[in-house]
């Protein structure tokens, strides 16, 4: 079976039933920005000329890139796929979904952790979900995924799979 096509003949885009981006919190931007500012202050006092400005500008660019990269982890659920970060799995291989509040998430990601599990965790997100896998060929017992809205994520993962949906007009 080929790709789903829109009435105009182009490949249709599947609309996610759930989408979340695990951006870094504002306090990280403030803390690291203050770190760069204090570095600039120390350099401006020690090195004459424009060199401290160039170095600080370079550090600021690296900081922005790192925080945007680290905060770019996405969680996407469609009718057929579940994606957490760069990893993707077909929903038909997903088993039980457990919502984990902060204390339970700490236990599952710490003392009760299985080394074979797939982890998509962020330290600034305290809740998440644990999804067991129903694939006998995959040695991974479960996925542990951070989420700011774990109940909504669990609902999207356990919702019955419907017919494919598109952003374009209905296929006739």
């Amino acid at each position: 079976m080929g790709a789903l096509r829109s009435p105009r003949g182009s490949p249709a885009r599947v609309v996610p039933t759930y989408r979340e981006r695990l951006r870094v919190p504002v306090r990280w931007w403030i803390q690291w920005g203050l770190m760069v500012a204090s570095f600039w202050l120390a350099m401006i006092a020690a090195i004459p000329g424009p060199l401290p400005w160039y170095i600080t500008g370079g550090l600021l660019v690296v900081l922005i890139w790192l925080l945007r990269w680290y905060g770019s982890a996405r969680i996407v659920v469609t009718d057929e796929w579940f994606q957490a970060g760069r990893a993707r799995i077909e929903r038909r291989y997903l088993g039980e979904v457990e919502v984990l509040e902060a204390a339970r998430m700490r236990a599952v990601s710490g003392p009760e952790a299985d080394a074979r599990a797939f982890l998509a965790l962020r330290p600034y997100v305290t809740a998440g979900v644990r999804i067991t896998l129903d694939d006998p060929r995959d040695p991974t017992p479960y996925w542990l995924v951070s989420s700011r809205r774990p109940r909504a994520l669990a609902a999207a993962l356990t919702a019955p799979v419907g017919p494919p949906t598109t952003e374009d007009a209905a296929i006739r």
Side-chain angles (χ1 to χ4, degrees), residues 14-27:
V14 176
V15 178
T17 57
Y18 179 87
R19 183 184 308 196
E20 180 179 2
R21 191 171 200 175
L22 300 177
R23 290 186 171 95
V24 296
V26 173
R27 75 174 186 275

Side-chain angles (χ1 to χ4, degrees), residues 49-116:
L51 186 60
W53 291 94
Y54 297 137
I55 294 172
T56 305
L59 284 175
L60 198 56
V61 167
V62 169
L63 170 67
I64 291 169
W65 180 81
L66 281 173
L67 289 179
R68 287 183 59 95
W69 169 78
Y70 193 69
S72 69
R74 293 174 191 226
I75 300 170
V76 179
V77 179
T78 66
D79 281 346
E80 295 182 22
W81 293 93
F82 170 56
Q83 177 180 346
R86 285 195 234 152
R88 245 174 60 151
I89 188 169
E90 288 184 69
R91 282 187 55 193
R92 65 185 170 125
Y93 295 121
L94 301 182
E96 179 185 337
V97 178
E98 178 185 1
V99 174
L100 304 171
E101 299 303 329
R104 185 76 181 119
M105 184 75 164
R106 265 192 312 279
V108 170
S109 63
E112 298 174 17
D114 187 329
R116 300 170 301 152

Side-chain angles (χ1 to χ4, degrees), residues 24-48:
V24 296
V26 173
R27 75 174 186 275
W28 279 33
W29 288 96
I30 294 169
Q31 289 169 335
W32 284 102
L34 290 173
M35 175 73 81
V36 170
S38 62
F39 183 78
W40 168 80
L41 188 59
M43 285 189 41
I44 203 84
I47 303 172

